[in-house]
């Protein structure tokens, strides 16, 4: 009994990064779309153009999708990202979110 519980935990912890927090998307398609984001968010989602720009690498996929939808709808107000999000379909958003979620986040400081 205990062993099977342990096994279930191990399997879940191995599988959960692949689930990308409930968002179904295609990371390969997301990577292609992400070329448009690299100038500001970095090729790896970490090296941002400006230190005030958010890192996308490793962020929860459902959060990224929500943010993109809100930029598109105007609920989140930012002129730069509103323009970026207009061109994205819901599928693009899911693909991008799964891709950025899969990247390793570099935790650091805002100081260079
Ligand atoms: C011209 C620069 C620029 C480009 C290109 C750009 N972004 Fe952004 N992005 C920003 C800035 C600036 C912010 C912070 C906006 C704010 O304060 O709400 C941001 C914020 C975000 C956020 C919110 C992150 C958070 O932690 O809340 C997401 C998600 C995001 N961008 C995704 C993308 C994606 C996906 C693309 C490519 C399709 C992209 N961005 C292209 C500049 C850019």
């Amino acid at each position: 009994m205990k062993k099977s519980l342990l096994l279930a935990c191990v399997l879940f912890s191995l599988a959960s990064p692949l689930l990308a927090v409930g968002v179904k998307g295609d990371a390969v398609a997301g990577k292609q779309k992400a070329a448009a984001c690299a100038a500001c968010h970095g090729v790896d989602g970490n090296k941002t153009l400006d230190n005030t720009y958010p890192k996308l690498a490793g962020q929860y996929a459902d959060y990224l999708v929500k943010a993109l939808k809100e930029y598109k709808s105007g609920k989140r107000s930012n002129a730069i990202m509103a323009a970026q999000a207009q061109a994205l379909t819901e599928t693009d958003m899911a693909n991008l979110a799964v891709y950025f979620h899969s990247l390793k986040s570099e935790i650091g400081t805002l100081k260079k």
Side-chain angles (χ1 to χ4, degrees):
M1 176 61 195
K2 263 191 177 168
K3 256 188 190 166
S4 60
L5 190 63
L6 184 68
L7 185 66
C9 289
V10 168
L11 288 178
F12 181 75
S13 62
L14 290 175
S16 56
L18 302 174
L19 297 174
V21 209
V23 176
K24 286 201 182 99
D26 177 352
V28 175
K31 185 176 183 176
Q32 286 169 358
K33 274 272 167 194
C37 325
C40 297
H41 293 286
V43 185
D44 64 352
N46 280 299
K47 310 253 174 349
T48 57
L49 177 69
D50 181 301
N51 276 341
T52 63
Y53 287 18
K55 289 184 179 183
L56 302 180
Q59 290 216 48
Y60 291 120
D62 55 352
Y63 171 80
L64 293 172
V65 168
K66 187 173 192 290
L68 289 170
K69 281 186 181 166
E70 290 180 357
Y71 285 125
K72 190 169 182 177
S73 74
K75 192 173 176 195
R76 262 201 198 202
S77 167
N78 180 269
I80 299 172
M81 276 311 299
Q84 294 295 321
Q86 288 317 311
L88 302 175
T89 64
E90 289 209 7
T91 305
D92 294 334
M93 291 179 188
N95 294 346
L96 284 160
V98 169
Y99 171 64
F100 280 113
H101 173 76
S102 75
L103 302 177
K104 196 175 178 328
S105 179
E106 286 174 13
I107 306 296
T109 162
L110 289 178
K111 292 189 187 119
K112 278 206 168 167

